Amino acid sequence: MSKPHLLQVGPYPEWDQIPLDEAFTVHRYFEAADKAAFLAEVGPQIRGIATRGELGANAEMIAACPNLEVISVYGVGYDAVDLNAAKARGIRVTNTPDVLTNDVADLGVAMMLVQSRGMIGAETWVKDGSWAAKGLYPLKRRVWGRKAGVLGLGRIGYEVAKRLAGFDMEIAYSDVSAKDYASQWEFIQDPVALAARSDFLFVTLAASAATRHIVGPKVIEALGPEGMLINISRASNIDEEALLNALESGKLGSAALDVFEGEPKLNPRFLKLDNVLLQPHHASGTIETRKAMGQLLRDNLTAHFAGKPLPTPVL
Ligand code: 8YV
């Protein structure tokens, strides 16, 4: 039996690539020099798209594949998939929830600690001889016992809050409604009010048109010159222009960011700031989690082509 043809949007580790190539005829979009010509050539054969959270599948790509049946995302976020285009053609969409939740939460909390305690600068202080030459490293701010806000108490937000409880932090969260599994934490629906009472504000919302720039000038200024914004969701949840302005002027104390507009080519203004901690969209980037994500991506594709129920459908 001939293998279903797949369009692969971005690279995967070898441990995923080998089984993917065994089970499917894979066309590597990311290796094509002329993307439009490549799509025009292979598009009609394509029955599945294997993509990644940040890459998704846009309307053009979907339109170029008239026989497309399924889009499988390696990632929990599917905001980069044109869901309307998929829905209009009855194309199934899957993602990889749950398997990455704990690692994403771990990285968010680690970024808070590293940034608040100034650990990157402290390491430079040791390595460049400043410790011996200049003496003691400047004092930084504590984390334990302070106020944390979690914007979006879904799977990842919940795991962040659980970890913060271990630091005896005062935790509040915002979401569309109070969660029955979170009665131990304060519910503050308005993101501006949440930011105003928080020292650290975690953005853990699934991105959509409705959440675009939910963290705008008002939220950022409410968090204030002593506050820290931590984003482990999607760049589109934050008004990046307002964030940069506030970081440059000191209206916001600091930020720890794993995601950026236009990544990996982020706005160069970020690189000039000394009140930011920047990560290369790496919150799910552990060997264990990435292996589980790759397996789930393939399980969804295999189930689809075997006519079985999809393990983790979005559409
Ligand atoms: C990426 C992510 O998919 O889960 C998500 O939504 O953005 C990440 O896990 C990861 O960088 C792999 O591309």
Side-chain angles (χ1 to χ4, degrees):
M1 216 176 71
S2 74
K3 300 192 272 188
H5 287 249
L6 283 190
L7 186 73
Q8 182 182 339
V9 182
Y12 298 121
E14 201 182 7
W15 60 65
D16 291 319
Q17 194 65 55
I18 291 169
L20 201 67
D21 288 340
E22 272 165 17
F24 302 97
T25 301
V26 178
H27 302 272
R28 299 184 187 206
Y29 177 78
F30 58 99
E31 285 179 355
D34 184 340
K35 307 275 189 236
F38 181 75
L39 276 184
E41 184 196 327
V42 305
Q45 298 165 270
I46 299 298
R47 294 175 64 200
I49 291 181
T51 188
R52 301 186 352 189
E54 72 277 27
L55 301 176
N58 60 27
E60 265 175 7
M61 194 178 271
I62 294 171
C65 304
N67 298 307
L68 184 62
E69 298 164 30
V70 61
I71 300 170
S72 189
V73 180
Y74 175 81
V76 66
Y78 47 85
D79 51 301
V81 174
D82 192 320
L83 287 187
N84 290 331
K87 211 181 282 175
R89 294 211 354 238
I91 295 164
R92 306 297 310 272
V93 178
T94 66
N95 66 344
T96 60
D98 300 319
V99 293
L100 47 66
T101 303
N102 286 313
D103 276 339
V104 176
D106 280 357
L107 195 90
V109 174
M111 291 199 307
M112 170 186 70
L113 285 164
V114 166
Q115 181 68 340
S116 196
R117 299 296 301 269
M119 289 174 69
I120 305 283
E123 195 203 33
T124 306
W125 195 258
V126 176
K127 284 190 171 165
D128 73 3
S130 295
W131 191 13
K134 300 183 198 164
L136 299 175
Y137 184 62
L139 301 180
K140 300 295 171 183
R141 297 301 306 269
R142 75 160 48 142
V143 162
W144 73 267
R146 295 179 72 206
K147 290 185 171 142
V150 180
L151 183 52
L153 203 77
R155 285 177 280 235
I156 292 170
Y158 180 79
E159 286 300 326
V160 166
K162 236 175 75 182
R163 283 159 176 69
L164 300 181
F167 292 96
D168 293 332
M169 298 183 87
E170 284 179 46
I171 299 161
Y173 70 97
S174 167
D175 210 307
V176 283
S177 59
K179 304 288 176 194
D180 53 10
Y181 52 79
S183 56
Q184 65 277 41
W185 303 315
E186 189 183 355
F187 174 60
I188 302 175
Q189 189 152 24
D190 175 20
V192 178
L194 181 76
R197 56 66 76 192
S198 296
D199 299 307
F200 303 93
L201 183 65
F202 287 82
V203 187
T204 49
L205 288 161
S208 68
T211 66
R212 185 175 163 74
H213 291 188
I214 188 166
V215 177
K218 285 191 185 138
V219 172
I220 291 168
E221 283 174 32
L223 191 55
E226 296 291 320
M228 183 190 298
L229 184 69
I230 299 127
N231 191 9
I232 46 172
S233 60
R234 281 288 186 272
S236 64
N237 285 330
I238 296 182
D239 178 344
E240 217 173 65
E241 184 66 23
L243 174 63
L244 280 161
N245 291 342
L247 285 165
E248 285 166 354
S249 67
K251 282 188 178 167
L252 177 66
S254 63
L257 307 165
D258 188 42
V259 284
F260 305 88
E261 292 289 356
E263 61 185 51
K265 290 185 185 140
L266 59 163
N267 190 320
R269 285 165 69 194
F270 279 116
L271 307 180
K272 297 205 177 95
L273 291 166
D274 57 13
N275 51 353
V276 291
L277 173 69
L278 310 175
Q279 294 287 295
H281 197 152
H282 205 58
S284 68
T286 66
I287 292 167
E288 296 89 340
T289 279
R290 289 289 168 86
K291 283 194 170 170
M293 287 164 64
Q295 186 65 55
L296 194 46
L297 168 115
R298 290 193 301 283
D299 288 349
N300 276 293
L301 290 169
T302 307
H304 172 81
F305 290 112
K308 295 193 176 144
L310 302 178
T312 47
V314 172
L315 265 190

